[in-house]
DNA sequence: TGCCAGGCCCTCTTTAGGGCCTT
């Protein structure tokens, strides 16, 4: 498939609409199932980190004070990602923060997100949990580092994403999985994946 | 003062409720 960018944010909470800000961003570029480039940075948005968040992520106020400004980091990472299609685990979360942080620098996201959580629910419905760490364990994927740090989570989401594409290719004999197809599959009713893929094939071939 | 996310997905559903997932 085309090059995609898998991203992961660490933040001060769950909702930019409630004033939460990003504290760390990572993006990895995937080409032919391999990570070919990486970006990672802490980012200083001038906000305090709640203690339970520091416990969760290991990211402290002291670390953030020394980090580059959020605006500079977002300019760098959005340049790094360009218009490659995006992927995240629970993309509804990361897309909210991506859009909110881009808005602070007057940029607008041009591309769509695919979601490895929605895809996992469809392709691995039997998994005991669809949390990123649990899926990595379930699929026997390598642990990339400390969970709840952006680069480790982005690397693990990337390897999960590669696994999902492989599964899709095998199970449904889709030889060229596109980001556009994934965006359709992740919205399709679980019992209609086959129909969704057939319809996509027909649209692609112009019938 | 009191409140505080929101989208997905299942089910004892659809005139709704609650768990999962992200930090």
């Amino acid at each position: 498939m085309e090059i995609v960018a898998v991203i992961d944010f660490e933040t001060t909470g769950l909702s930019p609409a409630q004033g939460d800000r990003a504290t760390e961003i990572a993006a990895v570029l995937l080409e032919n199932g391999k990570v070919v480039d990486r970006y990672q940075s802490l980012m200083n948005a001038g906000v305090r980190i709640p203690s339970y968040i520091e416990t969760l992520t290991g990211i402290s106020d002291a670390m953030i004070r020394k980090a580059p400004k959020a605006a500079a980091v977002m300019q760098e990472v959005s340049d790094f990602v360009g218009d490659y299609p995006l992927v995240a685990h629970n993309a509804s979360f990361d897309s909210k923060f991506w859009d909110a942080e881009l808005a602070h620098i007057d940029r607008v996201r041009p591309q769509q997100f695919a979601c490895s959580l929605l895809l996992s629910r469809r392709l691995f419905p039997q998994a005991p949990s669809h949390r990123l760490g649990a899926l990595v364990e379930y699929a026997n994927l390598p642990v990339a580092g400390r969970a709840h740090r952006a680069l480790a989570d982005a690397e693990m989401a990337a390897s999960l994403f590669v696994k999902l594409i492989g599964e899709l290719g095998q199970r449904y004999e889709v030889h060229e999985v596109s980001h556009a197809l994934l965006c359709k599959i992740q919205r399709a009713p679980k019992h209609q994946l086959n129909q969704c893929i057939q319809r996509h094939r027909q649209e692609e071939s112009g019938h």
Side-chain angles (χ1 to χ4, degrees):
Chain A
M1 76 181 294
E2 70 266 46
I3 295 175
V4 300
V6 185
I7 71 153
D8 185 78
F9 275 110
E10 303 307 317
T11 72
T12 61
L14 294 173
S15 173
Q18 299 292 318
D20 293 319
R21 294 294 303 268
T23 57
E24 187 181 39
I25 176 73
V28 302
L29 301 188
L30 267 182
E31 181 173 23
N32 298 322
K34 303 287 181 197
V35 174
V36 293
D37 209 351
R38 295 170 172 81
Y39 178 97
Q40 177 274 331
S41 183
L42 291 166
M43 51 201 279
N44 184 352
V47 290
R48 293 291 304 272
I49 297 179
S51 61
Y52 71 97
I53 293 287
E54 182 177 337
T55 303
L56 180 72
T57 64
I59 298 171
S60 66
D61 281 324
M63 291 163 70
I64 292 303
R65 271 197 298 276
K66 289 184 285 186
K69 298 285 187 199
V73 172
M74 286 308 298
Q75 278 171 17
E76 272 187 5
V77 72
S78 63
D79 287 345
F80 176 79
V81 161
D83 57 5
Y84 292 135
L86 291 165
V87 177
H89 195 68
N90 198 8
S92 71
F93 173 85
D94 289 281
S95 63
K96 275 190 306 189
F97 277 95
W98 184 261
D99 291 349
E101 294 295 341
L102 281 188
H104 285 294
I105 58 168
D106 295 321
R107 289 193 184 184
V108 176
R109 167 168 60 93
Q111 69 274 72
Q112 278 194 297
F113 268 92
C115 177
S116 55
L117 170 63
L118 295 180
L119 291 167
S120 294
R121 282 180 176 157
R122 282 160 179 77
L123 293 169
F124 300 136
Q126 71 281 19
S129 160
H130 293 88
R131 285 184 296 114
L132 179 59
L135 285 164
V136 164
E137 188 177 343
Y138 175 78
N140 282 316
L141 299 169
V143 175
R146 186 196 198 284
H148 294 298
R149 284 302 300 264
L151 185 58
D153 281 359
E155 299 256 14
M156 289 189 283
S159 59
L160 173 61
F161 184 72
V162 171
K163 182 83 175 181
L164 288 165
I165 290 174
E167 191 71 18
L168 194 61
Q170 270 193 344
R171 203 182 304 172
Y172 296 94
E173 296 181 355
V174 187
H175 301 302
E176 185 54 43
V177 179
S178 66
H179 191 266
L181 174 59
L182 295 174
C183 287
K184 290 178 185 171
I185 289 174
Q186 71 187 16
R187 300 282 172 214
K190 284 183 177 177
H191 59 286
Q192 289 181 11
L193 295 194
N194 237 327
Q195 294 93 314
C196 174
I197 292 164
Q198 295 309 328
R199 202 177 317 122
H200 179 79
R201 280 190 177 127
Q202 289 169 359
E203 287 167 9
E204 290 291 284
S205 63
H207 297 302

